[in-house]
Amino acid sequence: MAHIIVVGNEKGGAGKSTVSMHVATALARMGHKIATLDLDLRQKTLGRYVENRHRYLAKEGVELPSPDYIDLPEIDKSQLQAGENPYDHRLSAAVSQLEAEADFILIDCPGSHTRLSQVAHSLADTLITPLNDSFIDFDLLAHIDNDGERILGPSVYSEMVWNARQLRAQAGLKPIDWIVLRNRMGAQQMVNKAKMEKAIEKLSKRIGFRVAPGFNERVIFRELFPRGLTLLDLKDIGVTQLNISNVAARQELREMIKALNLPGVSV
Amino acid sequence: MAHIIVVGNEKGGAGKSTVSMHVATALARMGHKIATLDLDLRQKTLGRYVENRHRYLAKEGVELPSPDYIDLPEIDKSQLQAGENPYDHRLSAAVSQLEAEADFILIDCPGSHTRLSQVAHSLADTLITPLNDSFIDFDLLAHIDNDGERILGPSVYSEMVWNARQLRAQAGLKPIDWIVLRNRMGAQQMVNKAKMEKAIEKLSKRIGFRVAPGFNERVIFRELFPRGLTLLDLKDIGVTQLNISNVAARQELREMIKALNLPGVSV
Ligand SMILES: Nc1ncnc2c1ncn2[C@@H]1O[C@H](COP(=O)(O)OP(=O)(O)OP(=O)(O)O)[C@@H](O)[C@H]1O
Ligand SMILES: Nc1ncnc2c1ncn2[C@@H]1O[C@H](COP(=O)(O)OP(=O)(O)OP(=O)(O)O)[C@@H](O)[C@H]1O
Ligand SMILES: [Mg+2]
Ligand SMILES: [Mg+2]
């Protein structure tokens, strides 16, 4: 049975696809068998990232460990049971196709509320939720008062996760290990950063998630997309000198992978 | 007839709601009558931003110029013409309600592809598209080669804008003034930043948009969300000393508003 990692957050632009590609590539480079799915069927940022990787490596004649990727299989209406949702069928068909071979299946979710995303969350053994260091992003987890201190109540995304947890409990599945990851953090200590840290800490106790060490705002996390590479691949394509920010980025990625506590993975 | 400003980008997290609130508040503070709509009916980031503003100002007993905001009116199925899409009806009902009073109607779109967003784009006199300084965001405007230099072809969002432009031309409406805005730019000169600048410049000539001066990555653009304020409001709530970054942010916002060339607005 493959371990299923879902990367989700209904808030747009939190860093889901970026985190997906970095986690998947890290696991592939460690020798784990990792397959990926992209549930944003129109944007397909993760699919495009992997596609760019294959195109670039083929052009350069270089082989690098890479995550597998498949599109959701198309299905014929006749294959559906009575009343079955076609998206549910496509997702479960993809997962059972990958399950046999893979150690891990990583599923990247869209930045909106869709049926596919809801079903994926109920399949999650591990759920990673990246979050910009901003109360605009926090607002989808919980509503907070004018001072950014008192939590007023859960918001739409944490309610969706709650529902997914209920479904798993009813089906007798083990609980979701939910990990929130602060992303694009500023380098300096700021009032906003300290307030966000406190608010996330408080919320983690109320709604039950772990907080993993996050990523700072670093160009290296975004500039390699056209070649489908991550900072882990740089030395294999001949970049010998890493600048300070890239060394720090590598450290952040290592710490994050460690915090995920994935079965069989030692960093 | 109110001038309709649509803030759109199918890519999540580009800065649509942030730009919406800052443009709307700037226009309100200049004395223009501005009404806003939020087409992300679930997240409602812009709606929440305006709500936070009203709650904070009421609590502090302060009056500040503020944009109007209404939810899309609920409609009864009996009000629909045969075959009419309920969302089209709700949006046109909202626009005609606001049209009489407002100089400007600003519509914030969700970070996904929805019917409401498509219809809103066809209503746009001005379309503002914020974009993270990243080829991941650029990928929804156009596909680019591995080096981040050669444009391979248009992508899903620019095709949607193209369709909206066709609809307007067929209806004899004036063309959309499409403005792309780089957002969350890093302070230092980087290779990625220069490449993005060149790629956007090239694309603007191919698909016909103007490039406005954008925003840097600044905490002040996000930390005032819980109070519903923008940096323009700071001196009215007693903040007399603006730091360097806040002064620069004010300048960026002024330059951006100027570049929009809105009728009757002089900055
Ligand atoms: N740590 C980081 N440092 C710098 N840029 C980042 C970082 N993480 C993400 N980005 C950039 O932020 C933007 C949003 O990231 P990404 O597209 O991965 O988010 P997402 O949650 O998948 O978005 P969507 O909701 O559209 O699916 C992209 O332009 C990406 O390049
Ligand atoms: N110039 C900026 N400097 C710093 N942070 C910013 C800036 N612009 C936007 N942000 C932050 O980036 C994140 C995304 O911005 P925002 O929510 O406005 O984007 P959006 O396009 O409306 O997202 P969605 O696709 O979810 O509607 C938020 O956390 C916001 O606080
Ligand atoms: Mg994504
Ligand atoms: Mg928004």
Side-chain angles (χ1 to χ4, degrees), chain A:
Chain A
M1 281 288 285
H3 185 90
I4 296 182
I5 304 167
V6 169
V7 184
N9 186 343
E10 225 177 285
K11 177 70 189 75
K16 296 176 291 289
S17 302
T18 300
V19 166
S20 293
M21 187 65 181
H22 283 79
V23 169
T25 306
L27 291 175
R29 290 183 62 92
M30 290 178 201
H32 297 286
K33 195 101 184 61
I34 162 99
T36 58
L37 292 173
D38 187 337
L39 300 187
D40 194 328
L41 305 181
R42 185 171 156 93
Q43 271 189 27
K44 280 205 183 154
T45 302
L46 180 63
R48 296 269 309 136
Y49 210 139
V50 174
E51 192 184 298
N52 287 350
R53 185 180 186 86
H54 289 310
R55 202 173 58 225
Y56 176 72
L57 295 179
K59 204 171 81 187
E60 300 293 307
V62 172
E63 294 233 352
L64 280 183
S66 298
D68 287 340
Y69 171 83
I70 65 164
D71 282 328
L72 291 196
E74 298 295 330
I75 54 153
D76 190 40
K77 289 264 182 296
S78 63
Q79 290 170 269
L80 292 176
Q81 313 282 340
E84 188 185 7
N85 180 312
Y87 286 118
D88 298 7
H89 189 96
R90 292 178 71 190
L91 182 55
S92 56
V95 169
S96 30
Q97 182 184 333
L98 296 172
E99 189 111 77
E101 296 273 337
D103 305 322
F104 298 96
I105 298 174
L106 184 143
I107 304 175
D108 182 21
C109 294
S112 57
H113 181 67
T114 65
R115 169 78 187 179
L116 268 176
S117 179
Q118 283 172 282
V119 175
H121 279 68
S122 68
L123 301 174
D125 297 310
T126 298
L127 170 62
I128 306 173
T129 296
L131 193 73
N132 272 301
D133 216 32
S134 162
F135 281 108
I136 284 190
D137 278 40
F138 186 87
D139 200 53
L140 275 112
L141 282 179
H143 289 178
I144 205 152
D145 69 355
N146 287 125
D147 298 321
E149 281 159 12
R150 217 159 41 78
I151 292 169
L152 306 174
S155 180
V156 287
Y157 181 66
S158 35
E159 276 166 0
M160 193 261 258
V161 175
W162 172 257
N163 292 336
R165 283 180 150 163
Q166 294 292 79
L167 277 175
R168 281 180 75 86
Q170 281 153 14
L173 295 168
K174 65 175 199 287
I176 299 174
D177 183 13
W178 188 10
I179 296 154
V180 168
L181 182 77
R182 292 167 73 191
N183 189 25
R184 302 187 76 174
M185 290 192 289
Q188 292 103 1
Q189 272 313 325
M190 302 264 201
V191 168
N192 183 70
K193 195 171 168 182
K195 277 196 168 171
M196 274 294 289
E197 188 161 359
K198 262 188 50 222
I200 292 172
E201 204 48 45
K202 262 192 219 160
L203 191 64
S204 74
K205 297 193 180 44
R206 272 176 73 150
I207 60 178
F209 56 73
R210 297 195 288 125
V211 184
F215 293 162
N216 272 13
E217 167 78 28
R218 298 185 192 282
V219 157
I220 195 68
F221 283 120
R222 59 168 178 248
E223 72 179 323
L224 298 172
F225 169 76
R227 285 180 282 167
L229 301 176
T230 70
L231 56 104
L232 298 173
D233 304 306
L234 287 176
K235 57 180 183 302
D236 294 321
I237 59 158
V239 175
T240 46
Q241 290 291 356
L242 287 190
N243 67 27
I244 313 267
S245 178
N246 298 355
V247 172
R250 244 170 42 159
Q251 194 52 25
E252 285 171 1
L253 183 53
R254 262 175 87 82
E255 292 301 319
M256 193 264 268
I257 301 277
K258 221 189 260 174
L260 297 181
N261 277 347
L262 296 172
V265 174
S266 58
V267 180

Side-chain angles (χ1 to χ4, degrees), chain A residues 11-12 136, chain B residues 7 12-18 20 38 40 43-46 108-111:
Chain A
K11 177 70 189 75
I136 284 190
Chain B
V7 184
K16 297 176 290 290
S17 301
T18 300
S20 293
D38 188 337
D40 193 327
Q43 270 188 28
K44 283 205 181 149
T45 302
L46 181 62
D108 182 20
C109 294

Side-chain angles (χ1 to χ4, degrees), chain B residues 12-161:
Chain B
K16 297 176 290 290
S17 301
T18 300
V19 165
S20 293
M21 187 66 179
H22 283 78
V23 169
T25 306
L27 291 176
R29 292 184 60 93
M30 289 179 204
H32 298 286
K33 195 100 182 59
I34 162 104
T36 58
L37 293 173
D38 188 337
L39 301 188
D40 193 327
L41 304 181
R42 184 172 157 92
Q43 270 188 28
K44 283 205 181 149
T45 302
L46 181 62
R48 297 269 308 136
Y49 208 139
V50 174
E51 194 185 298
N52 288 349
R53 184 180 186 84
H54 290 308
R55 200 173 61 225
Y56 176 73
L57 296 179
K59 204 172 82 184
E60 300 293 308
V62 172
E63 293 236 352
L64 281 182
S66 298
D68 287 341
Y69 171 81
I70 64 163
D71 282 329
L72 292 194
E74 298 296 332
I75 53 151
D76 188 41
K77 288 264 182 299
S78 62
Q79 290 169 267
L80 292 175
Q81 314 281 342
E84 189 186 4
N85 180 311
Y87 286 118
D88 298 7
H89 190 95
R90 293 177 72 190
L91 181 57
S92 55
V95 169
S96 30
Q97 181 183 335
L98 297 171
E99 188 115 73
E101 297 271 337
D103 306 323
F104 297 97
I105 298 174
L106 184 144
I107 305 175
D108 182 20
C109 294
S112 58
H113 182 66
T114 65
R115 170 79 188 177
L116 269 176
S117 180
Q118 282 172 284
V119 175
H121 279 68
S122 68
L123 300 175
D125 298 310
T126 299
L127 170 62
I128 307 174
T129 296
L131 193 73
N132 273 299
D133 216 30
S134 161
F135 281 107
I136 284 189
D137 278 41
F138 186 87
D139 201 52
L140 276 114
L141 283 179
H143 290 177
I144 204 153
D145 69 355
N146 288 124
D147 298 319
E149 281 160 10
R150 220 160 38 79
I151 293 170
L152 305 174
S155 181
V156 288
Y157 181 65
S158 33
E159 276 166 0
M160 193 259 259
V161 176

